[in-house]
Amino acid sequence: MTQTFDRTALFTLARDLLTGGGLPPEKAETVAELLIQTDEIGVTTHGISMVSYYLPELAKDLMTKEGTHAVLADNKVTLLWDGNYLPGHWVMTRALDTCMERAAEYGMAAMAIRRSHHIGCLSALTRIAADKGYVCYIATSDPSGQWVAPYGGCEPLLTPNPWAVGYPGRDHPVLIDTCASITTLSKVREHINSGTEFAHPWMLDGTGHATTDPTVINQTPKGSILPVGGADHGHKGFAMGLMVEMLTQALAGHGRVEAPTRWGANVFLQVMDPEAFGGREAFVAQVEHLNEACRNSRPIDAARPVRIPGDRAASAASRSTSGGIALPDEVLTRIRTCAAEAGLAFPDPL
Amino acid sequence: MTQTFDRTALFTLARDLLTGGGLPPEKAETVAELLIQTDEIGVTTHGISMVSYYLPELAKDLMTKEGTHAVLADNKVTLLWDGNYLPGHWVMTRALDTCMERAAEYGMAAMAIRRSHHIGCLSALTRIAADKGYVCYIATSDPSGQWVAPYGGCEPLLTPNPWAVGYPGRDHPVLIDTCASITTLSKVREHINSGTEFAHPWMLDGTGHATTDPTVINQTPKGSILPVGGADHGHKGFAMGLMVEMLTQALAGHGRVEAPTRWGANVFLQVMDPEAFGGREAFVAQVEHLNEACRNSRPIDAARPVRIPGDRAASAASRSTSGGIALPDEVLTRIRTCAAEAGLAFPDPL
């Protein structure tokens, strides 16, 4: 079940919760705006509901409230920042602005970021650059986490390692947002909370057997999430995971060597201007030619036509604009509790 | 069965076969050298045996013999080349040299290439840059090919879309070399030729059923190779495939819109200098920390410890240096025929 809400009311609630948690107004507004944009594109696992995870981090000073990132290296087209565990949405907004400016000048730019706090929904970020005509790639890992085993091994050593790429299409951007593991830690926790199992063997128990049981991550020896490709061809997902750890930690010169124990995000961000290669018009023509061929191709199930990543986000964004933002019950329960604890009124549904 | 040969003898044979096919000596030497390096790292499917595919292309003037690539755009850190269907190894050697020079100056560089001929084994190419301390990413697609269906669809519309990334480790580079489909067209053809089936349902028949039968690609309606993740989570491989088509064709401003019908390769190449981010020493420290944790982790099967991509290539390279290059029977049969047809002596095994 979902209920629908006015955008401004949700934004105000998110902002007030964050300022109530001690975040200065400018940072709170930036984070709240991106969380609401995330709900608008339908990724409600990473929208306003994240506030319930951020407030305890603010309370424990594990999410930095004041100050700014440090620029550790700036070579014009390559940069290295230290995010100082500041709110990831705020750090990424600045990182995107910088990389888009540089890409406009030099054709492309890339940045490695160490020690950001959680950066939220990747496609809400790549969408900002794609909407302005850029190709935007973001990968992130958390060097404090170990949830995915190397292919052929039993011990979890990597994070799920999400990566996303957004780029312009004819009507709306293509928004690829995926990760190097078959499923995410959120999905594992959802299954554990609801007492259900995965439909496919997407987990690995601590002795190396593929299983549908999400609780293996809480057992001893500790189980893990299988890499993309699973028991069958998981060397491909493992390779992808290694690549994300390299881009986000090795290029950042900070990661598992330092063995941080707090929730954090290492990030690799790259922005490219198609104008600096074969031109924007030619770029969009090629993208849309393939997209249309895919959308119009014969589906396996007539009721489920082929979709391009970003199509669903575009529909959700359009519904949110016309009819308000739909939030599911589990998000509402979580955020209502936050509001009650902060003594803030919860908006009425539309 | 394999037989082992002297490096110089194989190089000379490859070069003489290519010059015999009409390729000028400098180009033939460059292609031959890379083919032998590919055999040296154990990727014998893409080594000297490729000559048997290249000779007919040279004979039909589908692989260009004379002249050079055209520089369509040069913005210092971003470039666009037209490969003019010249031998891909030759084009890529020049592209790598250019991107490494630019990366040394600007921190990173990227190039899109349209209309190259086949570029061979990607990790033989990324290895060149990784050995010099760079991070090197290469993706390639062939806009004339349709072998992989979009996830949820029955019609093959994409190529397998290989991508590779090479980067420095402590003793030898990490060489990730994979693709967006579960398996490759070469493997499909091997199974068809030997009358065998895949161990897992890695193919999709023309009506959308997953199958182990490789012959579906020759049936009507035409079957396809499943994307990474297969019937289960193939949306991840489909997303990867779209990304490779975007990088190689949309950025190059040339691809499926032009509907080429000859064997060709569109390429995206990027080189990054870790020195322009967090530094080379810190880079290698992070890479090797994770690599060692993976190699030393508890394996599922004690007889098969976890390997890092590139470990096998490094062992093969070392064996090739000390004991000569090992070629399997199917390669020997193919290349012996070429030698006989060209009236060239075939070297004796060591």
Side-chain angles (χ1 to χ4, degrees):
Chain A
M1 279 294 295
T2 62
Q3 287 186 306
T4 307
F5 295 86
D6 173 64
R7 179 194 216 284
T8 307
L10 285 186
F11 168 80
T12 306
L13 176 63
R15 184 199 57 197
D16 292 352
L17 283 168
L18 291 165
T19 51
L23 206 58
E26 183 254 337
K27 291 191 175 75
E29 280 175 20
T30 302
V31 176
E33 174 58 30
L34 267 166
L35 293 176
I36 302 308
Q37 286 182 20
T38 303
D39 282 320
E40 281 181 317
I41 59 170
V43 189
T44 54
T45 48
H46 286 64
I48 193 172
S49 73
M50 289 308 300
V51 171
S52 63
Y53 297 116
Y54 295 163
L55 289 178
E57 293 282 300
L58 286 169
K60 288 181 277 185
D61 275 331
L62 291 173
M63 182 185 272
T64 305
K65 301 179 187 78
E66 306 280 350
T68 186
H69 59 275
V71 178
L72 302 183
D74 184 347
N75 303 298
K76 296 194 177 97
V77 296
T78 62
L79 298 105
L80 173 64
W81 282 10
D82 183 333
N84 195 25
Y85 291 104
L86 283 155
H89 295 87
W90 186 85
V91 173
M92 288 305 292
T93 302
R94 266 133 205 86
L96 275 166
D97 282 348
T98 301
C99 285
M100 287 190 291
E101 264 169 40
R102 302 299 174 89
E105 190 170 350
Y106 301 102
M108 70 171 178
M111 185 187 288
I113 307 173
R114 55 169 81 162
R115 300 182 347 121
S116 170
H117 205 290
H118 186 245
I119 65 169
C121 167
L122 300 195
S123 51
L125 297 168
T126 58
R127 182 173 173 243
I128 294 170
D131 271 339
K132 293 191 203 299
Y134 295 107
V135 176
C136 180
Y137 176 88
I138 300 178
T140 182
S141 67
D142 181 353
S144 78
Q146 299 189 309
W147 301 102
V148 179
Y151 188 65
C154 305
E155 294 174 50
L157 296 173
L158 295 87
T159 28
N161 293 352
W163 62 273
V165 57
Y167 51 95
R170 183 80 65 205
D171 301 317
H172 60 262
V174 177
L175 298 176
I176 290 166
D177 190 342
T178 183
C179 63
S181 55
I182 296 192
T183 187
T184 60
L185 202 51
S186 319
K187 291 279 172 201
V188 172
R189 287 180 175 144
E190 263 180 41
H191 275 294
I192 292 176
N193 291 339
S194 62
T196 51
E197 301 219 335
F198 284 102
H200 305 277
W202 286 358
M203 307 294 296
L204 192 74
D205 73 18
T207 60
H209 298 94
T211 172
T212 57
D213 178 6
T215 68
V216 294
I217 61 161
N218 295 329
Q219 293 168 13
T220 308
K222 193 182 167 194
S224 58
I225 307 172
L226 277 165
V228 165
D232 180 280
H233 56 289
H235 59 291
K236 300 214 170 198
F238 174 43
M240 218 189 297
L242 286 174
M243 176 170 162
V244 171
E245 300 249 342
M246 177 274 290
L247 290 172
T248 57
Q249 295 176 36
L251 280 180
H254 179 278
R256 299 192 185 276
V257 169
E258 288 72 23
T261 54
R262 62 199 280 188
W263 186 14
N266 273 42
V267 183
F268 178 79
L269 161 65
Q270 178 167 337
V271 176
M272 290 190 281
D273 183 357
E275 204 56 54
F277 292 88
R280 282 191 192 179
E281 203 173 316
F283 181 94
V284 172
Q286 296 290 341
V287 166
E288 216 48 37
H289 179 86
L290 180 60
N291 285 357
E292 280 301 294
C294 291
R295 291 188 190 106
N296 296 330
S297 71
R298 194 160 32 86
I300 295 176
D301 173 354
R304 299 175 65 190
V306 172
R307 264 201 329 251
I308 297 295
D311 286 357
R312 192 152 53 176
S315 307
S318 154
R319 276 195 310 276
S320 299
T321 305
S322 57
I325 299 172
L327 295 180
D329 284 343
E330 61 268 26
V331 165
L332 290 171
T333 308
R334 208 125 53 84
I335 206 74
R336 269 184 211 282
T337 308
C338 289
E341 282 171 8
L344 291 172
F346 200 86
D348 291 326
L350 293 177
Chain B
M1 280 296 293
T2 63
Q3 288 186 304
T4 307
F5 295 87
D6 173 66
R7 180 195 216 283
T8 307
L10 286 185
F11 167 80
T12 306
L13 176 63
R15 183 199 60 195
D16 292 352
L17 283 168
L18 292 165
T19 52
L23 206 57
E26 182 255 337
K27 291 192 174 74
E29 280 174 21
T30 303
V31 176
E33 174 58 31
L34 268 165
L35 293 177
I36 302 309
Q37 286 182 19
T38 304
D39 282 320
E40 280 180 317
I41 59 171
V43 189
T44 53
T45 49
H46 285 65
I48 192 171
S49 73
M50 290 307 299
V51 171
S52 63
Y53 297 116
Y54 295 163
L55 290 177
E57 293 283 297
L58 286 169
K60 288 181 277 185
D61 275 331
L62 291 172
M63 181 184 274
T64 305
K65 300 179 188 78
E66 305 280 351
T68 187
H69 59 276
V71 178
L72 302 182
D74 183 348
N75 304 296
K76 297 193 178 99
V77 296
T78 62
L79 299 106
L80 174 63
W81 281 11
D82 184 332
N84 195 26
Y85 292 103
L86 284 155
H89 295 86
W90 186 84
V91 173
M92 288 305 292
T93 301
R94 266 134 205 84
L96 275 166
D97 282 346
T98 302
C99 285
M100 286 191 291
E101 264 170 41
R102 302 299 173 88
E105 188 168 354
Y106 302 102
M108 70 171 178
M111 184 187 289
I113 307 173
R114 56 168 81 162
R115 302 184 344 122
S116 170
H117 204 290
H118 186 248
I119 65 169
C121 167
L122 301 195
S123 51
L125 297 167
T126 59
R127 183 173 173 242
I128 294 170
D131 271 338
K132 293 189 202 298
Y134 295 107
V135 176
C136 179
Y137 176 88
I138 299 178
T140 182
S141 67
D142 181 353
S144 78
Q146 299 187 311
W147 302 103
V148 179
Y151 188 65
C154 305
E155 293 174 53
L157 296 173
L158 296 87
T159 29
N161 293 352
W163 62 273
V165 59
Y167 51 95
R170 184 81 63 202
D171 301 317
H172 59 263
V174 177
L175 298 176
I176 290 166
D177 189 341
T178 182
C179 65
S181 55
I182 296 193
T183 187
T184 60
L185 201 50
S186 317
K187 292 278 173 202
V188 173
R189 287 180 175 145
E190 263 179 42
H191 275 293
I192 292 175
N193 291 340
S194 61
T196 50
E197 301 218 335
F198 284 102
H200 305 277
W202 286 358
M203 306 294 296
L204 193 74
D205 73 17
T207 60
H209 299 93
T211 172
T212 56
D213 178 7
T215 68
V216 295
I217 62 161
N218 294 329
Q219 293 168 12
T220 309
K222 192 183 166 193
S224 58
I225 307 172
L226 277 165
V228 165
D232 180 281
H233 56 287
H235 59 291
K236 301 215 170 197
F238 174 43
M240 216 188 298
L242 286 174
M243 175 170 162
V244 171
E245 300 248 341
M246 176 275 290
L247 290 172
T248 57
Q249 295 176 36
L251 280 179
H254 178 278
R256 298 192 187 277
V257 169
E258 288 73 22
T261 53
R262 62 198 279 187
W263 186 15
N266 273 42
V267 182
F268 178 79
L269 162 65
Q270 179 168 333
V271 176
M272 291 190 281
D273 184 356
E275 206 55 54
F277 293 88
R280 282 192 192 177
E281 204 173 316
F283 181 94
V284 171
Q286 295 292 339
V287 165
E288 215 48 36
H289 179 87
L290 181 60
N291 285 358
E292 280 300 295
C294 291
R295 291 188 190 109
N296 297 329
S297 70
R298 195 159 31 87
I300 295 176
D301 174 352
R304 298 174 66 191
V306 172
R307 262 201 328 252
I308 296 296
D311 286 357
R312 192 152 53 176
S315 307
S318 154
R319 274 195 310 276
S320 299
T321 304
S322 57
I325 299 173
L327 294 179
D329 284 345
E330 61 268 28
V331 165
L332 289 172
T333 307
R334 210 128 48 86
I335 207 72
R336 269 184 210 281
T337 308
C338 288
E341 282 171 7
L344 293 172
F346 200 85
D348 291 325
L350 293 177

